[in-house]
Amino acid sequence: MRQTKRLAEFQKSVTNRYNIYNSLFLSLPYADMENVATLVPLLFEQCEKGLNAGKKPEEILENFFTGVAGITDEKQRIDFMFRIIQYVERQVVLYDSVEDAAFPKLQKYTNSLGIKDYFELVDQNKNWDKISKKLSTFSARIVLTAHPTQFYTPAVLDIISELRKMIEDNRINDIDTTLQQLGLTSLVNSRKPTPLDEAKNIIHILRNTYYDAIGEMFQDIKKSIRDEKFDNYDIIKLGFWPGGDRDGNPYVTEDITKKVADELRLTLMKCYYNDIKVLRKKLTFRGLAEPLELLSDKLYKAMFQTEFLVSYEEIIQSLEQVKDVLVNDYHGLYLEDLTKMIDKVHIFKVHFATLDIRQDHSKHYLTVTEVLKKHGVIKESLEELSQEELINCLLKKDITVNESDFTEDIVVQTLTNISHLKEIQNRNGEAGCNRYIISNSEDIFSVLFVFGLFRWCGWKAEDITFDIVPLFETMKGMDASEEVMQALFDIPMYKEHLARRKDVHTIMLGFSDGTKDGGYLKANWSILKTKETLSKVCKKNGIKAIFFDGRGGPPARGGGKTHRFYAAQTKDVANHEIQLTVQGQTITSTFGTKEQFKHNAEQLLTAGLSNNLFGKEHKISGEQRRLIEKLSQLSFNKYDALKQHEKFIPYLEHRSTLKYYTKANIGSRPGKRGNKKQLTLSDLRAISFVGSWSQLKQNVPGYFGLGTAIAQLKEEGKMNDVKKLFKEVPFFRALMMNSMMSLAKTNFNLTSYMKEDKEFGDFWKILHQEFELSKKMLLQISGHKILMEDEAVSRESVKIREKIVLPLLVIQQNALFHITKDSEYKELYEKIVTRSLYGNINASRNSA
């Protein structure tokens, strides 16, 4: 019943409104726009019918230009296709705005637990003591990244925000004017963004959305828990990767990191200054005006002058003095307003979000090698040292490095960065930057290299105020993780470091490269098993394990329904804190408005807390584990065979948009690691890898191998066991439902012309057969008649978005075809492919 009502509300507040406002595009007063607006619906109809009839994209467009648009000149056709792309991009912006505006209405008909619902359940279950204890320490850390899958500039984000408000109030004339503004505003960057640009784009959202949203959430929790003294200010924490994430990004320098840290602090001072300005209008009493004015003046300087610092303790002390006078002399008038600001200062301190540092293990390996060569410990290679000798060097050998002694840029940057991290902590507080993450961790040296480099860069071992976080992202890394962590715990000096870090160890497990490496099911299953194993290892050694999940937008990069994922964790996974990356469109689509942020952040908290307090704990029996293990291995075998296929990489290079990701002004980071001429899967970024399959509407990483695995068990007479697995094991069901989302966004009709391709026809058929089999098998085990049957609103949203971008997709495929034919307009067709990336990805919202 709820789903039916929710779908009815969606059709009224989203589908109908979008259709009404979309018609306004017909009257936009721009040259050639009216012609495009009239013809786009006709082009969609031609595309849909043509693809269903098995026609090639170039045939569909030839028929359209000849029979409908009456354009015969190729150059004029290309110009028209560019205008269609621009038009469709703006349709996507409008649809995003309409859907965001409807969000509060749709939430009335959801089964999701909000904070208030959650505490009502606590009331019914009489679990207040247990919940109070858990809430006093539990936390959710949302880490914002700059991965290049979000293309809206701050100007466009502001337009979306304004449109959303106008749509909520149905202000048709204002909407019309704003759509005209949108028509004249560029939706793409004129140049590649720098890491600082990327950081500022996301800081824009911190200031305008998250600052108030987190403050309001904290007040809601405090009221719900009935404890005015509730002081878990870390219950929602923000992390920040732009400007600190060096992995594969040569443009993130020590100077950039410092500037981003300053930008976070200065922006927060602006937020505090605005709050003080509001308070001063209310607290006009003798004895309060002067201290508030003094604090206001300090904040004003601090928000413009990088070198003028106001400490967290100084701000709190000033506000607490005002509070004392207010309570003692003025009956606590406006005390609630003042308390809200004090709470915000406790939450954000002077850093706003914790700036994480991340670098690939190979760069530390190179740096350590160069340092030890410089100091005469080795001649050429670390292989000259035994493991014990190398550990001794890293933990005990006194070495002082000077960056100027080295010539290789990455070595200089690595040493300079570590040497200057203390300065960021001095300016933004320790919480401003206290985590160092190592990509591609596979042995103890991933952690010990960082520990040693800190020592050699001037940090005393007892003063290293950083958590060193291994990122086990490959299958090899996850397999080795138990042995690695135990070996680290067995080192007395490292154990002492952990004692100073409150005996907590954060461990990151990466979905993106794991899925690329091991396939969808095996990667996800391996991550769950690894979490269970590491939870035991940490507990045995008296260490509190905290897992940091690298979750991208689409299921193929660990995304999908986040609440469903965390609610499905087993009882054997340590559950002290939820940490996850949020990236690309997910920042704006899932956490982009105050309402969305509060709802989805609450979902993280309730998912984590519910595992401890309500219902039976999630367990996977030995028999069920063996079944998942078999499915995992069978699906991996199928996926691995695809990876080893001689046409796998050439197909992506020559029949997808892979190489165009690096040509688009999307992100500051290169599309692949390293500078090898020959493209290899290991060097390929997960984002461009998954994104390229998404642009093809084939979404291979989100399901490939599942159909074969389930079909094999069906042949063995175990289909009922798999159905039971779907019904009884939330973890398995969550994976399968996320995979169904990937399948629902797949459209092999778009590329069906490839089956006749001399070079890639057989390879395309392998992909198509597995898609059909996976769809068939997943519908069978779920008992559903259609994909996403239980998620009607999400299904409708996907359908509308796919409909909007279908002409754009056909244009993109047509351009790829003409590029292979070495058209005289090859350069323009390449620009069409590059430009079409933006609208497609923004429309997908999670890129698969």
Side-chain angles (χ1 to χ4, degrees):
M1 180 63 75
R2 271 179 180 262
Q3 178 165 258
T4 303
K5 288 183 177 179
R6 194 161 187 254
L7 183 58
E9 183 62 49
F10 180 87
Q11 288 167 340
K12 182 174 74 174
S13 298
V14 179
T15 308
N16 294 346
R17 277 189 167 186
Y18 169 71
N19 289 333
I20 291 168
Y21 299 139
N22 189 40
S23 66
L24 295 175
F25 279 115
L26 291 169
S27 59
L28 291 184
Y30 308 130
D32 302 317
M33 183 64 82
E34 183 179 344
N35 193 29
V36 172
T38 306
L39 290 174
V40 163
L42 299 174
L43 176 57
F44 167 78
E45 188 179 348
Q46 293 265 319
C47 291
E48 191 173 47
K49 287 181 179 176
L51 290 176
N52 288 337
K55 289 185 179 179
K56 299 175 181 178
E58 60 268 24
E59 291 177 318
I60 293 169
L61 286 172
E62 177 63 38
N63 291 339
F64 170 75
F65 282 124
T66 303
V68 179
I71 304 174
T72 55
D73 180 74
E74 186 174 6
K75 179 64 171 60
Q76 288 181 358
R77 288 181 176 186
I78 289 171
D79 290 342
F80 188 81
M81 285 188 281
F82 271 116
R83 292 203 298 276
I84 290 175
I85 292 171
Q86 292 171 325
Y87 183 84
V88 169
E89 285 172 345
R90 283 155 179 79
Q91 283 186 302
V92 172
V93 171
L94 174 61
Y95 186 76
D96 283 347
S97 304
V98 172
E99 200 167 67
D100 289 347
F103 183 81
K105 292 179 181 177
L106 292 173
Q107 289 316 110
K108 294 176 185 176
Y109 306 105
T110 181
N111 292 319
S112 304
L113 278 181
I115 286 290
K116 290 175 183 174
D117 304 317
Y118 181 78
F119 285 117
E120 283 179 16
L121 278 177
V122 174
D123 249 349
Q124 293 168 20
N125 288 271
K126 309 301 179 189
N127 273 324
W128 277 108
D129 289 343
K130 197 173 180 182
I131 187 65
S132 296
K133 185 178 178 182
K134 189 69 181 176
L135 272 174
S136 66
T137 59
F138 195 75
S139 177
R141 184 191 294 245
I142 298 166
V143 181
L144 307 164
T145 79
H147 290 351
T149 54
Q150 169 57 50
F151 311 124
Y152 292 144
T153 62
V156 176
L157 289 174
D158 284 340
I159 289 174
I160 292 175
S161 178
E162 287 303 308
L163 270 175
R164 186 177 66 247
K165 293 172 191 170
M166 295 167 190
I167 290 165
E168 285 172 357
D169 299 333
N170 204 27
R171 288 151 46 196
I172 192 79
N173 290 332
D174 291 337
I175 292 167
D176 187 29
T177 304
T178 306
L179 288 178
Q180 291 182 42
Q181 177 192 354
L182 180 65
L184 293 169
T185 302
S186 174
L187 269 64
V188 299
N189 297 311
S190 57
R191 58 173 175 79
K192 267 192 180 298
T194 66
L196 187 58
D197 293 332
E198 291 171 332
K200 286 182 177 180
N201 285 354
I202 299 178
I203 290 172
H204 174 86
I205 302 173
L206 290 185
R207 180 182 180 183
N208 292 288
T209 303
Y210 298 173
Y211 177 73
D212 285 331
I214 291 176
E216 289 175 16
M217 269 193 74
F218 185 82
Q219 297 305 320
D220 289 343
I221 293 168
K222 194 159 74 167
K223 286 175 184 174
S224 297
I225 203 172
R226 307 167 190 173
D227 181 6
E228 283 299 315
K229 294 180 180 178
F230 178 72
D231 62 356
N232 180 7
Y233 298 109
D234 287 335
I235 194 158
I236 294 288
K237 294 186 283 191
L238 293 176
F240 205 80
W241 275 18
D245 182 7
R246 289 165 161 66
D247 180 13
N249 194 336
Y251 309 113
V252 177
T253 62
E254 174 271 332
D255 184 56
I256 288 290
T257 303
K258 181 177 175 295
K259 284 179 178 176
V260 170
D262 285 341
E263 190 69 28
L264 283 163
R265 187 184 67 258
L266 266 59
T267 302
L268 180 60
M269 294 303 114
K270 292 172 186 174
C271 294
Y272 289 163
Y273 176 80
N274 287 333
D275 276 1
I276 286 289
K277 191 160 70 172
V278 173
L279 277 174
R280 287 177 66 189
K281 290 179 181 178
K282 295 179 178 180
L283 304 182
T284 53
F285 321 129
R286 188 185 299 276
L288 294 185
E290 188 177 341
L292 284 173
E293 184 180 359
L294 184 63
L295 178 57
S296 179
D297 289 345
K298 287 180 180 178
L299 292 171
Y300 187 81
K301 284 183 184 176
M303 72 192 211
F304 291 115
Q305 300 176 26
T306 306
E307 301 307 316
F308 187 87
L309 303 174
V310 184
S311 71
Y312 157 62
E313 291 79 11
E314 193 176 351
I315 300 171
I316 283 295
Q317 187 178 15
S318 298
L319 293 174
E320 287 291 351
Q321 287 174 352
V322 169
K323 181 180 177 181
D324 288 342
V325 175
L326 188 65
V327 170
N328 293 327
D329 298 346
Y330 298 105
H331 317 291
L333 190 62
Y334 296 122
L335 178 60
E336 186 176 343
D337 299 82
L338 178 61
T339 301
K340 285 178 182 178
M341 172 152 193
I342 290 172
D343 286 341
K344 281 183 183 177
V345 176
H346 282 309
I347 292 166
F348 299 112
K349 298 181 173 64
V350 291
H351 65 278
F352 215 160
T354 299
L355 182 60
D356 286 347
I357 307 298
R358 183 170 78 131
Q359 183 55 284
D360 190 78
H361 173 55
S362 62
K363 307 305 180 190
H364 300 139
Y365 189 98
L366 173 63
T367 304
V368 169
T369 300
E370 292 303 307
V371 169
L372 292 183
K373 276 168 64 177
K374 186 74 179 175
H375 286 80
V377 178
I378 59 174
K379 290 180 180 179
E380 290 298 331
S381 168
L382 294 182
E383 303 299 319
E384 298 164 32
L385 301 174
S386 68
Q387 179 164 311
E388 291 73 20
E389 288 171 331
L390 183 52
I391 291 173
N392 189 63
C393 278
L394 295 165
L395 299 183
K396 297 179 181 177
K397 190 168 183 62
D398 290 327
I399 290 176
T400 301
V401 297
N402 188 333
E403 303 95 80
S404 61
D405 291 339
F406 301 91
T407 56
E408 191 154 356
D409 186 58
I410 189 63
V411 174
V412 174
Q413 275 295 325
T414 301
L415 297 174
T416 304
N417 176 52
I418 293 174
S419 299
H420 288 78
L421 290 177
K422 177 59 76 175
E423 183 185 349
I424 293 177
Q425 289 191 341
N426 290 338
R427 298 162 77 88
N428 287 24
E430 191 211 295
C433 185
N434 61 6
R435 308 203 311 173
Y436 200 116
I437 299 157
I438 308 103
S439 303
N440 282 308
S441 294
E442 293 181 352
D443 58 36
I444 60 169
F445 292 109
S446 58
V447 170
L448 294 184
F449 281 166
V450 174
F451 192 89
L453 287 170
F454 265 83
R455 288 183 60 249
W456 300 342
C457 288
W459 295 67
K460 293 179 181 177
E462 60 271 21
D463 294 334
I464 298 176
T465 46
F466 267 76
D467 297 327
I468 303 174
V469 182
L471 165 48
F472 300 110
E473 54 189 322
T474 62
M475 304 308 294
K476 182 181 175 183
M478 283 187 278
D479 289 344
S481 61
E482 178 182 9
E483 185 180 339
V484 169
M485 295 312 299
Q486 185 57 62
L488 287 170
F489 296 150
D490 287 340
I491 298 172
M493 195 168 176
Y494 189 71
K495 198 76 188 291
E496 289 166 11
H497 168 70
L498 289 180
R500 290 188 291 272
R501 303 302 295 163
K502 300 181 181 177
D503 283 325
V504 173
H505 207 303
T506 303
I507 302 167
M508 189 172 183
L509 299 170
F511 283 78
S512 298
D513 284 281
T515 308
K516 186 183 75 176
D517 186 32
Y520 179 70
L521 182 55
K522 187 174 180 67
N524 282 279
W525 177 235
S526 297
I527 286 166
L528 181 70
K529 290 191 298 178
T530 303
K531 281 186 176 181
E532 292 175 335
T533 301
L534 293 178
S535 296
K536 289 173 188 170
V537 170
C538 289
K539 188 174 182 179
K540 183 178 75 175
N541 287 275
I543 301 296
K544 183 188 283 188
I546 292 178
F547 294 111
F548 180 17
D549 295 311
R551 290 181 62 77
R557 286 196 289 114
K561 301 289 185 179
T562 301
H563 175 271
R564 191 157 63 199
F565 167 79
Y566 282 110
Q569 299 293 288
T570 67
K571 70 178 185 64
D572 295 320
V573 174
N575 186 36
H576 307 295
E577 184 171 325
I578 284 175
Q579 295 191 9
L580 75 162
T581 58
V582 179
Q583 53 194 254
Q585 316 99 301
T586 314
I587 293 175
T588 47
S589 66
T590 308
F591 295 93
T593 68
K594 190 193 294 185
E595 295 82 7
Q596 288 171 327
F597 181 92
K598 288 173 70 175
H599 171 77
N600 287 298
E602 285 180 10
Q603 291 297 289
L604 290 178
L605 288 175
T606 57
L609 292 167
S610 296
N611 282 347
N612 292 64
L613 300 174
F614 303 124
K616 62 179 183 180
E617 294 176 317
H618 295 319
K619 298 177 183 177
I620 305 177
S621 69
E623 185 181 341
Q624 289 169 332
R625 284 176 181 273
R626 285 188 289 275
L627 197 59
I628 297 175
E629 191 68 52
K630 186 165 185 179
L631 284 167
S632 158
Q633 192 56 47
L634 287 169
S635 65
F636 171 72
N637 292 343
K638 181 70 174 177
Y639 176 72
D640 193 51
L642 185 74
K643 279 200 310 179
Q644 304 307 324
H645 196 289
E646 62 178 357
K647 296 300 181 186
F648 185 75
I649 292 294
Y651 181 80
L652 283 171
E653 280 193 287
H654 303 297
R655 290 294 182 271
S656 84
T657 59
L658 181 65
K659 60 187 176 186
Y660 297 96
Y661 270 82
T662 57
K663 294 182 179 182
N665 293 330
I666 296 170
S668 67
R669 191 167 61 174
K672 65 185 181 75
R673 293 181 174 99
N675 297 307
K676 299 175 192 170
K677 286 187 178 179
Q678 184 68 35
L679 182 65
T680 63
L681 187 60
S682 59
D683 287 337
L684 196 56
R685 283 270 170 211
I687 285 170
S688 47
F689 174 72
V690 172
S692 296
W693 290 113
S694 173
Q695 294 279 325
L696 282 167
K697 288 298 162 189
Q698 293 175 356
N699 294 331
V700 164
Y703 63 83
F704 197 89
L706 282 180
T708 293
I710 297 170
Q712 176 65 38
L713 288 183
K714 183 179 181 180
E715 274 186 38
E716 295 175 12
K718 295 181 179 176
M719 193 60 170
N720 285 335
D721 294 334
V722 183
K723 288 180 179 179
K724 196 175 177 185
L725 203 62
F726 181 87
K727 184 179 180 181
E728 295 181 358
V729 179
F731 167 77
F732 183 74
R733 184 166 62 251
L735 288 186
M736 296 304 103
M737 289 178 74
N738 278 343
S739 197
M740 282 193 254
M741 185 199 302
S742 288
L743 289 164
K745 293 184 177 184
T746 299
N747 183 359
F748 269 87
N749 282 345
L750 182 68
T751 55
S752 64
Y753 68 93
M754 289 188 191
K755 64 187 171 190
E756 309 299 336
D757 191 293
K758 289 180 182 178
E759 185 178 358
F760 296 109
D762 289 342
F763 185 80
W764 183 91
K765 288 171 187 173
I766 292 172
L767 304 178
H768 183 238
Q769 285 165 5
E770 187 62 21
F771 160 73
E772 293 291 353
L773 184 60
S774 297
K775 179 179 175 182
K776 180 181 177 182
M777 291 296 104
L778 284 173
L779 289 176
Q780 281 189 27
I781 66 168
S782 63
H784 296 169
K785 292 183 175 62
I786 56 171
L787 295 169
M788 299 179 73
E789 185 176 298
D790 290 343
E791 300 171 278
V793 167
S794 294
R795 188 178 69 243
E796 283 301 302
S797 177
V798 166
K799 194 161 92 178
I800 294 170
R801 289 175 178 278
E802 295 298 310
K803 179 177 177 178
I804 291 171
V805 297
L806 186 64
L808 199 151
L809 290 165
V810 170
I811 286 171
Q812 184 186 84
Q813 285 298 314
N814 173 68
L816 286 167
F817 167 77
H818 282 286
I819 290 166
T820 64
K821 299 301 178 186
D822 283 326
S823 161
E824 64 175 301
Y825 297 109
K826 182 178 178 180
E827 192 175 325
L828 286 174
Y829 281 118
E830 287 182 334
K831 285 183 180 178
I832 282 180
V833 175
T834 303
R835 184 58 190 274
S836 63
L837 293 172
Y838 297 86
N840 285 340
I841 292 181
N842 282 333
S844 295
R845 281 213 157 178
N846 72 8
S847 293

